[in-house]
Amino acid sequence: MDIRSTLVAQNYAANRTVTQPTPNAGEGLLAGAKDFISTLQQSENTAMASMTQGADPHALVQALAQTELAVQTAVTVRDKVVEAYQEILRMPV
């Protein structure tokens, strides 16, 4: 048996646990998505109430600002994910 293949197998076995997924890895992302959806729903409800029932215009402006911030955050996260994916594609194999 070649010594290089033995070293490769040992290194692979040593690093295998690093690449395995963790059971709770997606919870943070899931919580962020739920917060994003709830922010959009609250803003939509506030806008509907403002248009139909004459609710407080300040609440409408605040809801629109929260929605804008949530969308900007989602776009920033998406851009970072795409950038990371492109960087992975550029890695030599």
Side-chain angles (χ1 to χ4, degrees):
M1 180 177 240
D2 188 16
I3 188 73
R4 286 181 286 179
S5 62
T6 304
L7 289 174
V8 169
Q10 288 174 349
N11 285 334
Y12 176 76
N15 293 319
R16 187 172 178 202
T17 58
V18 175
T19 59
Q20 290 182 348
T22 57
N24 300 331
E27 287 183 8
L29 184 61
L30 184 60
K34 286 181 181 179
D35 287 344
F36 178 74
I37 290 170
S38 68
T39 299
L40 292 181
Q41 287 175 343
Q42 289 174 357
S43 297
E44 186 174 329
N45 292 339
T46 303
M48 293 286 280
S50 177
M51 299 298 173
T52 58
Q53 301 168 0
D56 185 24
H58 296 290
L60 176 62
V61 171
Q62 184 179 9
L64 291 176
Q66 287 176 343
T67 302
E68 182 180 6
L69 183 62
V71 170
Q72 286 176 352
T73 303
V75 168
T76 302
V77 169
R78 181 209 56 194
D79 291 345
K80 292 291 183 182
V81 168
V82 169
E83 182 181 325
Y85 178 71
Q86 288 173 343
E87 196 161 319
I88 289 171
L89 289 178
R90 285 191 294 260
M91 287 183 180
V93 178

